[in-house]
Amino acid sequence: MTDMRITDEEGLYKALYRLRKLDEEQAHDDVQRQKELDETNAWYVPATKTRQDEREAVESRIKDFYLTQYEANPHYRYKSRNGSVGKRKSVEWTHDDQQLIDNVPAEYVKTTKKLQWGDYKKTLTPLDDGRVVNEDGEVVAGVTATSVINVTIKPTKGDD
Protein backbone atom coordinates (compact mmCIF):
# COMPACT_ATOMS: atom_id res chain seq x y z
CA MET A 1 0.00 0.00 0.00
CA THR A 2 1.29 3.45 -0.78
CA ASP A 3 1.81 6.20 1.75
CA MET A 4 -1.39 7.99 0.75
CA ARG A 5 -3.39 9.74 3.43
CA ILE A 6 -6.77 8.23 4.33
CA THR A 7 -9.48 10.72 3.42
CA ASP A 8 -12.72 8.77 3.95
CA GLU A 9 -14.17 5.73 5.67
CA GLU A 10 -13.71 3.58 2.57
CA GLY A 11 -9.99 4.32 2.72
CA LEU A 12 -10.02 3.50 6.45
CA TYR A 13 -11.84 0.22 5.69
CA LYS A 14 -9.19 -0.70 3.10
CA ALA A 15 -6.33 0.22 5.44
CA LEU A 16 -7.78 -1.92 8.25
CA TYR A 17 -8.26 -4.77 5.75
CA ARG A 18 -4.61 -4.47 4.69
CA LEU A 19 -3.53 -4.43 8.34
CA ARG A 20 -5.55 -7.59 9.01
CA LYS A 21 -4.04 -9.32 5.97
CA LEU A 22 -0.52 -8.39 7.07
CA ASP A 23 -1.24 -9.87 10.51
CA GLU A 24 -2.54 -13.07 8.88
CA GLU A 25 0.60 -13.34 6.71
CA GLN A 26 2.77 -12.86 9.79
CA ALA A 27 0.80 -15.48 11.73
CA HIS A 28 1.25 -17.95 8.84
CA ASP A 29 4.99 -17.29 8.78
CA ASP A 30 5.16 -17.66 12.58
CA VAL A 31 3.46 -21.09 12.35
CA GLN A 32 5.86 -22.16 9.59
CA ARG A 33 8.87 -20.94 11.57
CA GLN A 34 7.72 -22.75 14.72
CA LYS A 35 7.21 -25.95 12.73
CA GLU A 36 10.75 -25.70 11.36
CA LEU A 37 12.15 -24.94 14.82
CA ASP A 38 10.31 -27.97 16.24
CA GLU A 39 11.72 -30.19 13.48
CA THR A 40 15.23 -28.87 14.14
CA ASN A 41 14.88 -29.36 17.90
CA ALA A 42 13.71 -32.96 17.33
CA TRP A 43 17.24 -33.94 16.28
CA TYR A 44 19.33 -31.11 17.77
CA VAL A 45 18.31 -31.36 21.44
CA PRO A 46 18.88 -35.13 21.84
CA ALA A 47 22.20 -34.96 19.95
CA THR A 48 23.37 -32.06 22.10
CA LYS A 49 22.32 -33.84 25.30
CA THR A 50 24.18 -36.99 24.27
CA ARG A 51 27.36 -35.02 23.50
CA GLN A 52 27.08 -33.06 26.75
CA ASP A 53 26.69 -36.26 28.79
CA GLU A 54 29.69 -37.81 27.05
CA ARG A 55 31.71 -34.61 27.55
CA GLU A 56 30.97 -34.64 31.28
CA ALA A 57 32.06 -38.29 31.51
CA VAL A 58 35.36 -37.56 29.70
CA GLU A 59 36.01 -34.48 31.88
CA SER A 60 35.38 -36.61 34.98
CA ARG A 61 37.96 -39.20 33.85
CA ILE A 62 40.49 -36.44 33.09
CA LYS A 63 39.98 -34.84 36.51
CA ASP A 64 40.32 -38.21 38.21
CA PHE A 65 43.60 -38.91 36.38
CA TYR A 66 44.92 -35.40 37.10
CA LEU A 67 44.16 -35.62 40.83
CA THR A 68 45.99 -38.97 40.97
CA GLN A 69 49.04 -37.37 39.32
CA TYR A 70 48.74 -34.29 41.52
CA GLU A 71 48.94 -36.40 44.69
CA ALA A 72 52.29 -37.76 43.49
CA ASN A 73 53.58 -34.43 42.11
CA PRO A 74 51.93 -31.15 43.24
CA HIS A 75 53.51 -29.37 40.25
CA TYR A 76 52.11 -31.79 37.64
CA ARG A 77 50.79 -30.21 34.43
CA TYR A 78 50.01 -31.69 31.05
CA LYS A 79 50.07 -29.89 27.71
CA SER A 80 49.56 -31.21 24.18
CA ARG A 81 48.12 -30.01 20.90
CA ASN A 82 44.73 -31.36 22.06
CA GLY A 83 44.67 -29.26 25.20
CA SER A 84 46.16 -28.90 28.62
CA VAL A 85 45.38 -29.90 32.19
CA GLY A 86 46.52 -27.99 35.22
CA LYS A 87 45.22 -26.58 38.46
CA ARG A 88 44.23 -23.27 39.86
CA LYS A 89 43.56 -22.80 43.53
CA SER A 90 40.67 -20.60 44.52
CA VAL A 91 38.69 -19.76 47.61
CA GLU A 92 34.92 -20.15 47.73
CA TRP A 93 33.22 -17.71 50.05
CA THR A 94 29.85 -17.89 51.73
CA HIS A 95 28.57 -14.87 53.61
CA ASP A 96 25.52 -13.35 55.19
CA ASP A 97 25.22 -9.81 53.81
CA GLN A 98 22.84 -8.62 56.49
CA GLN A 99 25.10 -9.76 59.32
CA LEU A 100 28.15 -8.24 57.61
CA ILE A 101 26.44 -4.88 57.04
CA ASP A 102 26.00 -4.54 60.78
CA ASN A 103 29.63 -5.46 61.57
CA VAL A 104 31.96 -4.15 58.85
CA PRO A 105 33.34 -0.60 58.69
CA ALA A 106 31.06 1.91 56.96
CA GLU A 107 33.58 2.46 54.12
CA TYR A 108 32.74 -1.04 52.83
CA VAL A 109 28.97 -0.57 52.89
CA LYS A 110 27.29 1.13 49.93
CA THR A 111 23.81 2.55 50.25
CA THR A 112 21.82 3.78 47.30
CA LYS A 113 18.62 5.75 46.94
CA LYS A 114 16.18 4.63 44.30
CA LEU A 115 12.95 6.38 43.46
CA GLN A 116 9.88 4.16 43.27
CA TRP A 117 8.30 6.23 40.51
CA GLY A 118 5.29 3.99 39.97
CA ASP A 119 4.18 4.32 43.59
CA TYR A 120 5.03 8.03 43.85
CA LYS A 121 3.25 8.87 40.58
CA LYS A 122 -0.04 7.59 42.04
CA THR A 123 0.10 10.39 44.65
CA LEU A 124 0.47 13.16 42.04
CA THR A 125 -2.15 15.15 40.14
CA PRO A 126 -1.42 16.77 36.76
CA LEU A 127 -2.69 20.31 36.08
CA ASP A 128 -3.88 21.66 32.70
CA ASP A 129 -0.74 23.81 32.29
CA GLY A 130 1.64 20.80 32.64
CA ARG A 131 2.59 21.39 36.27
CA VAL A 132 2.10 18.59 38.79
CA VAL A 133 0.97 18.86 42.42
CA ASN A 134 1.35 16.42 45.29
CA GLU A 135 -1.27 15.38 47.84
CA ASP A 136 -0.72 18.65 49.78
CA GLY A 137 -1.40 20.76 46.67
CA GLU A 138 2.25 21.83 46.35
CA VAL A 139 3.82 22.02 42.89
CA VAL A 140 6.39 19.23 42.46
CA ALA A 141 9.66 20.44 40.94
CA GLY A 142 11.20 18.26 38.26
CA VAL A 143 7.93 16.73 37.05
CA THR A 144 5.67 17.81 34.20
CA ALA A 145 2.68 16.05 32.71
CA THR A 146 1.26 16.24 29.20
CA SER A 147 -2.03 14.73 28.07
CA VAL A 148 -1.66 12.49 25.04
CA ILE A 149 -4.26 10.73 22.92
CA ASN A 150 -3.26 7.20 22.00
CA VAL A 151 -5.08 5.75 19.01
CA THR A 152 -5.90 2.07 19.43
CA ILE A 153 -5.99 -0.04 16.26
CA LYS A 154 -7.32 -3.58 16.50
CA PRO A 155 -7.70 -5.42 13.20
CA THR A 156 -10.07 -8.36 13.28
CA LYS A 157 -8.87 -11.91 12.89
CA GLY A 158 -10.09 -14.39 10.32
CA ASP A 159 -11.18 -14.58 6.69
CA ASP A 160 -12.67 -11.76 4.61
Side-chain angles (χ1 to χ4, degrees), residues 1 6 10-20 22:
M1 182 169 235
I6 298 171
E10 182 180 343
L12 179 59
Y13 175 84
K14 289 177 180 179
L16 285 170
Y17 175 81
R18 180 65 184 142
L19 193 59
R20 181 171 60 103
L22 288 169

Side-chain angles (χ1 to χ4, degrees), residues 1-87:
M1 182 169 235
T2 61
D3 289 336
M4 294 176 35
R5 187 171 190 159
I6 298 171
T7 58
D8 56 19
E9 286 187 354
E10 182 180 343
L12 179 59
Y13 175 84
K14 289 177 180 179
L16 285 170
Y17 175 81
R18 180 65 184 142
L19 193 59
R20 181 171 60 103
K21 287 300 181 182
L22 288 169
D23 288 347
E24 289 172 7
E25 289 173 18
Q26 187 63 50
H28 178 268
D29 288 350
D30 289 347
V31 168
Q32 180 66 28
R33 178 177 181 266
Q34 189 59 51
K35 179 182 172 188
E36 291 173 5
L37 287 172
D38 291 344
E39 289 171 358
T40 300
N41 282 336
W43 65 265
Y44 179 77
V45 171
T48 301
K49 174 78 170 110
T50 300
R51 270 190 302 278
Q52 186 62 33
D53 291 347
E54 187 173 342
R55 190 175 204 286
E56 289 172 3
V58 171
E59 284 179 353
S60 177
R61 293 194 303 268
I62 291 171
K63 287 177 185 175
D64 181 56
F65 175 80
Y66 177 80
L67 290 174
T68 303
Q69 297 302 311
Y70 177 73
E71 288 176 11
N73 176 7
H75 301 288
Y76 178 77
R77 290 185 1 199
Y78 178 82
K79 191 176 218 178
S80 75
R81 68 183 206 147
N82 292 321
S84 62
V85 182
K87 71 168 181 351

Side-chain angles (χ1 to χ4, degrees), residues 91-102:
V91 177
E92 292 183 3
W93 303 82
T94 57
H95 55 89
D96 178 356
D97 284 354
Q98 191 56 50
Q99 189 174 4
L100 286 173
I101 287 174
D102 297 336

Side-chain angles (χ1 to χ4, degrees), residues 119-139:
D119 294 337
Y120 182 59
K121 179 174 64 171
K122 293 175 186 173
T123 68
L124 303 176
T125 303
L127 302 177
D128 291 339
D129 62 2
R131 293 180 302 155
V132 176
V133 295
N134 62 16
E135 293 171 322
D136 299 329
E138 299 169 351
V139 174

